[in-house]
Amino acid sequence: MQVEEGGLSIEVPETRHGASEGSGEGVFYNPVQELNRDITVGVLRAVDDECDTYLDAMTASGVRAVRAADAGYDVAACDVDPDAVDLARRNLESNGLDGEVHHRDASAHMHEHGHDVVDLDPFGTPVPYVDAAVRSAGRYLCVTATDTAPLCGAHFESGVRHYGAVPRNTEFHAEMGLRVLLSALVRAAARYDVAARPVLSHVSSHYVRTYLRLESGARAADGQLDRLGYLDHCQRCLWRRHEATLIADPVEECPHCGQSTWTAGPIWLGPAHDAAFVERVREAVPDGAGTAAESRDLLSTVAAELDEPTHYDQHRLYKRWGEPSPAMAEFLDALRAAGHDASRTHYGGTTFKTDAGVAAIRDAVL
Ligand SMILES: C[S@@+](CC[C@H](N)C(=O)[O-])C[C@H]1O[C@@H](n2cnc3c(N)ncnc32)[C@H](O)[C@@H]1O
Ligand SMILES: [Zn+2]
Protein backbone atom coordinates (compact mmCIF):
# COMPACT_ATOMS: atom_id res chain seq x y z
CA MET A 1 0.00 0.00 0.00
CA GLN A 2 1.02 3.64 -0.50
CA VAL A 3 1.11 6.15 2.37
CA GLU A 4 1.59 9.89 2.12
CA GLU A 5 4.21 11.48 4.35
CA GLY A 6 5.72 14.93 4.05
CA GLY A 7 4.16 15.35 0.60
CA LEU A 8 5.86 12.15 -0.63
CA SER A 9 4.34 8.82 -1.53
CA ILE A 10 5.91 5.85 0.26
CA GLU A 11 5.20 2.20 -0.44
CA VAL A 12 4.90 0.23 2.81
CA PRO A 13 3.92 -3.38 3.39
CA GLU A 14 0.23 -3.99 3.74
CA THR A 15 -0.89 -6.06 6.70
CA ARG A 16 -4.18 -7.15 8.16
CA HIS A 17 -3.98 -4.10 10.44
CA GLY A 18 -3.10 -1.57 7.76
CA ALA A 19 0.51 -0.40 7.61
CA SER A 20 3.02 -2.76 9.26
CA GLU A 21 4.08 -1.73 12.76
CA GLY A 22 6.97 -4.09 13.20
CA SER A 23 4.63 -6.99 13.83
CA GLY A 24 6.93 -9.39 11.99
CA GLU A 25 4.77 -9.15 8.87
CA GLY A 26 7.35 -7.76 6.46
CA VAL A 27 9.36 -4.55 6.38
CA PHE A 28 8.73 -2.20 9.29
CA TYR A 29 6.79 1.04 8.99
CA ASN A 30 5.22 2.75 11.98
CA PRO A 31 2.76 5.55 11.16
CA VAL A 32 2.92 6.69 14.80
CA GLN A 33 6.56 7.73 14.28
CA GLU A 34 5.56 10.33 11.69
CA LEU A 35 5.99 13.04 14.35
CA ASN A 36 9.52 11.77 15.04
CA ARG A 37 10.28 11.95 11.28
CA ASP A 38 8.63 15.37 10.82
CA ILE A 39 10.83 16.76 13.59
CA THR A 40 13.88 15.08 12.01
CA VAL A 41 13.12 16.91 8.76
CA GLY A 42 12.88 20.13 10.81
CA VAL A 43 16.33 19.41 12.28
CA LEU A 44 17.81 18.63 8.84
CA ARG A 45 16.43 21.88 7.44
CA ALA A 46 17.66 23.83 10.47
CA VAL A 47 21.26 22.58 10.07
CA ASP A 48 21.55 22.48 6.28
CA ASP A 49 24.03 25.38 6.26
CA GLU A 50 26.57 23.11 8.03
CA CYS A 51 25.51 19.63 6.84
CA ASP A 52 25.15 17.97 3.41
CA THR A 53 25.23 14.23 3.98
CA TYR A 54 22.81 12.02 5.94
CA LEU A 55 22.93 8.34 6.86
CA ASP A 56 19.68 6.50 7.60
CA ALA A 57 21.48 3.64 9.35
CA MET A 58 18.42 1.37 9.77
CA THR A 59 16.21 2.34 6.89
CA ALA A 60 13.42 -0.32 6.64
CA SER A 61 11.00 1.21 4.04
CA GLY A 62 13.52 4.00 3.38
CA VAL A 63 11.10 6.64 4.61
CA ARG A 64 13.74 8.66 6.48
CA ALA A 65 16.18 8.47 3.59
CA VAL A 66 13.46 9.61 1.17
CA ARG A 67 12.49 12.52 3.38
CA ALA A 68 16.13 13.58 3.91
CA ALA A 69 16.81 13.38 0.15
CA ASP A 70 13.71 15.49 -0.45
CA ALA A 71 15.13 18.04 2.03
CA GLY A 72 18.22 18.31 -0.22
CA TYR A 73 20.58 15.90 1.50
CA ASP A 74 23.00 13.53 -0.11
CA VAL A 75 21.68 10.32 1.49
CA ALA A 76 22.93 6.84 2.24
CA ALA A 77 20.95 4.10 3.94
CA CYS A 78 21.60 0.62 5.33
CA ASP A 79 19.52 -2.37 6.26
CA VAL A 80 20.35 -6.03 6.87
CA ASP A 81 16.98 -7.13 5.49
CA PRO A 82 17.16 -7.56 1.68
CA ASP A 83 13.41 -6.84 1.34
CA ALA A 84 13.92 -3.54 3.15
CA VAL A 85 16.82 -2.65 0.84
CA ASP A 86 14.68 -3.33 -2.27
CA LEU A 87 11.77 -1.35 -0.86
CA ALA A 88 13.95 1.61 0.17
CA ARG A 89 15.50 1.72 -3.33
CA ARG A 90 12.04 1.64 -4.92
CA ASN A 91 10.80 4.42 -2.65
CA LEU A 92 13.73 6.70 -3.50
CA GLU A 93 13.30 6.01 -7.22
CA SER A 94 9.52 6.40 -7.34
CA ASN A 95 9.91 9.83 -5.71
CA GLY A 96 12.58 10.80 -8.26
CA LEU A 97 15.27 11.03 -5.58
CA ASP A 98 18.86 9.80 -5.47
CA GLY A 99 20.44 7.85 -2.64
CA GLU A 100 22.63 4.83 -1.99
CA VAL A 101 20.99 1.93 -0.17
CA HIS A 102 23.44 -0.63 1.20
CA HIS A 103 22.55 -4.19 2.13
CA ARG A 104 24.89 -4.06 5.05
CA ASP A 105 25.21 -4.07 8.81
CA ALA A 106 24.98 -0.44 9.88
CA SER A 107 27.98 -0.64 12.22
CA ALA A 108 30.22 -2.13 9.51
CA HIS A 109 29.19 0.71 7.18
CA MET A 110 29.65 3.37 9.86
CA HIS A 111 33.15 2.16 10.72
CA GLU A 112 34.15 2.78 7.11
CA HIS A 113 32.16 5.86 6.07
CA GLY A 114 31.60 9.32 7.48
CA HIS A 115 28.39 11.38 7.19
CA ASP A 116 27.53 14.82 8.55
CA VAL A 117 24.36 13.49 10.16
CA VAL A 118 23.91 9.90 11.33
CA ASP A 119 20.46 8.67 12.35
CA LEU A 120 20.02 5.52 14.46
CA ASP A 121 16.50 4.09 14.51
CA PRO A 122 16.85 0.46 15.60
CA PHE A 123 14.44 -1.99 17.18
CA GLY A 124 14.96 -1.47 20.93
CA THR A 125 18.27 -0.21 22.29
CA PRO A 126 20.65 1.79 20.06
CA VAL A 127 23.63 0.83 22.24
CA PRO A 128 25.17 -1.79 19.89
CA TYR A 129 25.49 0.89 17.16
CA VAL A 130 26.59 3.90 19.17
CA ASP A 131 30.37 3.50 19.02
CA ALA A 132 30.36 3.11 15.25
CA ALA A 133 27.91 6.01 14.93
CA VAL A 134 30.18 8.33 16.91
CA ARG A 135 33.05 7.39 14.58
CA SER A 136 30.90 8.00 11.51
CA ALA A 137 28.99 11.17 12.43
CA GLY A 138 30.74 14.44 11.63
CA ARG A 139 28.30 16.93 13.13
CA TYR A 140 25.04 15.49 14.42
CA LEU A 141 23.96 12.18 15.85
CA CYS A 142 20.21 11.44 16.00
CA VAL A 143 19.10 8.52 18.16
CA THR A 144 15.79 6.80 18.80
CA ALA A 145 15.49 4.30 21.66
CA THR A 146 12.28 2.31 22.06
CA ASP A 147 13.42 0.27 25.08
CA THR A 148 11.85 2.66 27.56
CA ALA A 149 11.32 0.00 30.28
CA PRO A 150 15.07 -0.71 30.71
CA LEU A 151 15.90 3.00 30.38
CA CYS A 152 13.54 4.16 33.11
CA GLY A 153 14.39 1.33 35.52
CA ALA A 154 11.21 -0.74 35.09
CA HIS A 155 13.45 -3.52 33.67
CA PHE A 156 16.32 -2.82 36.01
CA GLU A 157 18.95 -5.43 35.05
CA SER A 158 18.53 -4.86 31.35
CA GLY A 159 18.93 -1.11 31.92
CA VAL A 160 22.13 -1.63 33.91
CA ARG A 161 23.53 -4.07 31.32
CA HIS A 162 22.84 -1.98 28.26
CA TYR A 163 23.53 1.49 29.58
CA GLY A 164 26.25 1.00 32.21
CA ALA A 165 24.21 3.09 34.64
CA VAL A 166 21.75 2.43 37.45
CA PRO A 167 18.26 3.53 36.37
CA ARG A 168 15.51 3.98 38.98
CA ASN A 169 11.81 3.62 38.43
CA THR A 170 10.76 7.02 39.81
CA GLU A 171 7.60 8.97 38.99
CA PHE A 172 9.67 11.06 36.54
CA HIS A 173 10.32 7.95 34.45
CA ALA A 174 10.44 9.75 31.08
CA GLU A 175 13.14 12.09 32.35
CA MET A 176 15.04 9.15 33.91
CA GLY A 177 14.94 7.23 30.63
CA LEU A 178 16.16 10.20 28.63
CA ARG A 179 19.00 10.94 31.05
CA VAL A 180 20.20 7.34 31.26
CA LEU A 181 20.32 7.27 27.44
CA LEU A 182 22.12 10.63 27.26
CA SER A 183 24.66 9.42 29.84
CA ALA A 184 25.51 6.40 27.69
CA LEU A 185 25.74 8.53 24.52
CA VAL A 186 27.94 11.19 26.12
CA ARG A 187 30.27 8.51 27.55
CA ALA A 188 30.44 6.68 24.20
CA ALA A 189 31.43 9.90 22.41
CA ALA A 190 34.01 10.72 25.10
CA ARG A 191 35.76 7.40 24.41
CA TYR A 192 36.75 8.90 21.02
CA ASP A 193 37.58 12.37 22.41
CA VAL A 194 34.29 13.72 21.09
CA ALA A 195 31.94 16.01 23.03
CA ALA A 196 28.29 15.11 22.41
CA ARG A 197 25.90 17.95 23.32
CA PRO A 198 22.15 17.28 23.32
CA VAL A 199 20.40 20.04 21.36
CA LEU A 200 16.90 18.57 21.21
CA SER A 201 15.29 15.66 23.05
CA HIS A 202 11.74 14.43 23.46
CA VAL A 203 10.04 11.42 24.95
CA SER A 204 6.89 10.68 23.01
CA SER A 205 4.58 7.66 23.25
CA HIS A 206 6.87 4.63 23.55
CA TYR A 207 10.24 6.07 22.56
CA VAL A 208 13.03 8.50 23.47
CA ARG A 209 14.45 10.65 20.68
CA THR A 210 17.52 12.86 20.96
CA TYR A 211 19.78 14.92 18.69
CA LEU A 212 23.37 15.61 19.69
CA ARG A 213 25.83 18.08 18.21
CA LEU A 214 29.32 16.60 18.07
CA GLU A 215 32.60 18.39 18.59
CA SER A 216 36.02 16.74 18.46
CA GLY A 217 38.45 17.47 21.25
CA ALA A 218 39.55 15.82 24.49
CA ARG A 219 38.90 18.94 26.60
CA ALA A 220 35.44 19.42 25.19
CA ALA A 221 34.69 15.75 25.87
CA ASP A 222 35.95 16.12 29.47
CA GLY A 223 33.58 19.06 29.90
CA GLN A 224 30.64 16.85 28.99
CA LEU A 225 31.70 14.10 31.42
CA ASP A 226 31.65 16.75 34.16
CA ARG A 227 27.89 16.94 33.68
CA LEU A 228 27.27 13.31 34.58
CA GLY A 229 26.33 12.44 38.12
CA TYR A 230 24.05 10.82 40.65
CA LEU A 231 20.54 11.47 41.76
CA ASP A 232 19.05 10.51 45.14
CA HIS A 233 15.30 10.14 45.34
CA CYS A 234 12.76 9.48 48.09
CA GLN A 235 9.87 7.39 46.81
CA ARG A 236 7.76 8.40 49.78
CA CYS A 237 7.80 12.21 49.88
CA LEU A 238 9.33 12.76 46.39
CA TRP A 239 12.36 14.65 47.76
CA ARG A 240 15.33 14.49 45.40
CA ARG A 241 18.89 15.76 45.09
CA HIS A 242 21.51 15.52 42.35
CA GLU A 243 25.23 16.02 42.19
CA ALA A 244 27.51 16.16 39.13
CA THR A 245 30.32 13.73 40.00
CA LEU A 246 31.60 10.36 38.85
CA ILE A 247 32.19 9.26 42.44
CA ALA A 248 28.87 8.46 44.05
CA ASP A 249 28.21 9.75 47.56
CA PRO A 250 24.60 8.69 48.10
CA VAL A 251 22.32 9.98 50.83
CA GLU A 252 21.11 6.98 52.85
CA GLU A 253 18.03 8.57 54.37
CA CYS A 254 15.65 11.20 53.08
CA PRO A 255 16.39 14.41 55.04
CA HIS A 256 12.73 15.37 54.66
CA CYS A 257 10.89 12.23 55.84
CA GLY A 258 13.55 9.70 56.94
CA GLN A 259 12.67 7.03 54.36
CA SER A 260 15.62 5.18 52.76
CA THR A 261 16.39 6.69 49.36
CA TRP A 262 17.17 5.39 45.88
CA THR A 263 20.23 6.47 43.92
CA ALA A 264 20.43 6.51 40.11
CA GLY A 265 23.46 7.19 37.97
CA PRO A 266 25.64 8.13 36.39
CA ILE A 267 22.93 10.00 34.50
CA TRP A 268 23.18 13.12 32.34
CA LEU A 269 22.53 16.18 34.52
CA GLY A 270 23.18 18.88 31.91
CA PRO A 271 20.62 20.45 29.56
CA ALA A 272 18.78 18.02 27.28
CA HIS A 273 18.08 20.75 24.72
CA ASP A 274 19.28 24.11 23.45
CA ALA A 275 16.27 26.46 23.41
CA ALA A 276 17.54 28.55 20.45
CA PHE A 277 18.16 25.41 18.41
CA VAL A 278 14.72 24.01 19.26
CA GLU A 279 13.12 27.31 18.11
CA ARG A 280 15.00 27.05 14.79
CA VAL A 281 13.77 23.48 14.34
CA ARG A 282 10.23 24.58 15.16
CA GLU A 283 10.39 27.16 12.37
CA ALA A 284 11.93 24.63 10.00
CA VAL A 285 9.24 21.94 10.37
CA PRO A 286 7.59 22.12 6.92
CA ASP A 287 4.01 23.46 6.80
CA GLY A 288 2.99 20.43 4.76
CA ALA A 289 4.22 17.90 7.35
CA GLY A 290 1.39 15.67 8.59
CA THR A 291 2.09 16.48 12.24
CA ALA A 292 3.25 20.10 11.70
CA ALA A 293 0.90 21.58 14.33
CA GLU A 294 1.54 18.84 16.88
CA SER A 295 5.31 18.91 16.29
CA ARG A 296 5.43 22.69 16.72
CA ASP A 297 3.40 22.52 19.93
CA LEU A 298 5.75 19.88 21.28
CA LEU A 299 8.82 21.91 20.28
CA SER A 300 7.44 25.07 21.93
CA THR A 301 6.98 23.19 25.19
CA VAL A 302 10.45 21.64 24.94
CA ALA A 303 12.04 25.05 24.22
CA ALA A 304 10.44 26.56 27.34
CA GLU A 305 11.28 23.62 29.59
CA LEU A 306 13.76 24.22 32.43
CA ASP A 307 17.05 22.30 32.37
CA GLU A 308 16.29 20.61 35.72
CA PRO A 309 17.09 16.89 35.48
CA THR A 310 13.85 15.77 37.16
CA HIS A 311 10.21 16.67 36.87
CA TYR A 312 7.27 16.40 39.25
CA ASP A 313 3.77 15.19 38.67
CA GLN A 314 1.42 17.80 40.06
CA HIS A 315 -1.41 15.31 40.70
CA ARG A 316 0.90 12.97 42.55
CA LEU A 317 2.05 15.79 44.87
CA TYR A 318 -1.48 16.98 45.61
CA LYS A 319 -2.62 13.44 46.23
CA ARG A 320 0.11 13.09 48.85
CA TRP A 321 -0.97 16.38 50.39
CA GLY A 322 -4.65 15.32 50.32
CA GLU A 323 -5.66 18.49 48.47
CA PRO A 324 -7.34 19.04 45.08
CA SER A 325 -4.89 20.22 42.39
CA PRO A 326 -5.43 23.62 40.73
CA ALA A 327 -5.05 24.35 36.99
CA MET A 328 -1.43 24.06 35.83
CA ALA A 329 -1.14 27.73 34.77
CA GLU A 330 -2.33 28.96 38.16
CA PHE A 331 -0.06 26.49 39.94
CA LEU A 332 3.04 27.60 37.97
CA ASP A 333 2.17 31.26 38.63
CA ALA A 334 2.10 30.55 42.38
CA LEU A 335 5.55 28.94 42.19
CA ARG A 336 6.94 31.89 40.23
CA ALA A 337 5.32 34.40 42.57
CA ALA A 338 7.25 32.73 45.41
CA GLY A 339 10.50 33.36 43.51
CA HIS A 340 11.06 29.92 41.94
CA ASP A 341 11.68 29.01 38.33
CA ALA A 342 8.92 26.81 36.96
CA SER A 343 7.87 25.40 33.60
CA ARG A 344 5.60 22.83 32.05
CA THR A 345 7.22 19.77 30.53
CA HIS A 346 6.42 17.97 27.31
CA TYR A 347 5.95 14.68 29.21
CA GLY A 348 2.31 15.35 29.97
CA GLY A 349 -0.21 17.94 31.08
CA THR A 350 0.27 17.26 34.80
CA THR A 351 4.09 17.35 34.81
CA PHE A 352 6.25 20.37 35.62
CA LYS A 353 9.83 21.35 36.45
CA THR A 354 11.06 23.72 39.08
CA ASP A 355 14.24 24.62 40.93
CA ALA A 356 12.26 24.48 44.19
CA GLY A 357 12.49 21.44 46.45
CA VAL A 358 9.39 19.52 47.45
CA ALA A 359 8.99 21.40 50.77
CA ALA A 360 9.39 24.78 49.06
CA ILE A 361 6.82 23.81 46.42
CA ARG A 362 4.32 23.04 49.15
CA ASP A 363 5.01 26.31 50.94
CA ALA A 364 4.56 28.23 47.71
CA VAL A 365 1.29 26.71 46.56
CA LEU A 366 -0.74 25.61 49.59
C1 LIG B 1 12.74 0.28 13.58
S1 LIG B 1 13.16 -0.25 11.97
C2 LIG B 1 13.63 1.26 11.17
C3 LIG B 1 12.45 2.16 10.88
C4 LIG B 1 12.69 3.29 9.94
N1 LIG B 1 13.91 4.05 10.23
C5 LIG B 1 11.48 4.20 9.91
O1 LIG B 1 11.58 5.43 10.28
O2 LIG B 1 10.39 3.72 9.56
C6 LIG B 1 14.69 -1.06 12.21
C7 LIG B 1 15.33 -1.62 10.95
O3 LIG B 1 16.68 -1.94 11.29
C8 LIG B 1 17.07 -3.05 10.51
N2 LIG B 1 18.28 -3.61 11.15
C9 LIG B 1 18.36 -4.47 12.19
N3 LIG B 1 19.66 -4.71 12.50
C10 LIG B 1 20.41 -3.95 11.64
C11 LIG B 1 21.80 -3.74 11.47
N4 LIG B 1 22.69 -4.36 12.25
N5 LIG B 1 22.20 -2.89 10.50
C12 LIG B 1 21.30 -2.26 9.70
N6 LIG B 1 19.97 -2.42 9.83
C13 LIG B 1 19.53 -3.25 10.78
C14 LIG B 1 15.85 -3.95 10.50
O4 LIG B 1 15.90 -4.85 9.40
C15 LIG B 1 14.71 -2.89 10.39
O5 LIG B 1 14.37 -2.70 9.05
ZN1 LIG C 1 11.22 11.57 51.89
Side-chain angles (χ1 to χ4, degrees), residues 27-30 33 37 56-64 78-81 84 104-107 121-123 129:
V27 177
F28 179 95
Y29 171 79
N30 187 351
Q33 296 258 10
R37 292 186 287 267
D56 179 3
M58 294 91 183
T59 198
S61 66
V63 59
R64 282 174 191 273
C78 292
D79 208 291
V80 288
D81 173 359
R104 203 152 183 228
D105 174 80
S107 293
D121 189 28
F123 293 132
Y129 309 101

Side-chain angles (χ1 to χ4, degrees), residues 274-291:
D274 166 342
F277 182 85
V278 179
E279 282 297 344
R280 273 169 61 203
V281 174
R282 188 178 175 279
E283 279 160 30
V285 170
D287 291 336
T291 75

Side-chain angles (χ1 to χ4, degrees), residues 128-162:
Y129 309 101
V130 166
D131 282 74
V134 169
R135 304 291 279 162
S136 178
R139 293 188 179 273
Y140 288 89
L141 175 59
C142 325
V143 180
T144 303
T146 57
D147 58 332
T148 48
L151 280 167
C152 75
H155 293 168
F156 181 80
E157 288 82 4
S158 144
V160 173
R161 259 193 335 271
H162 290 148

Side-chain angles (χ1 to χ4, degrees), residues 4 10 26 55 106 115 160 192 286 350:
E4 299 291 317
I10 312 284
L55 175 69
H115 306 270
V160 173
Y192 305 98
T350 64

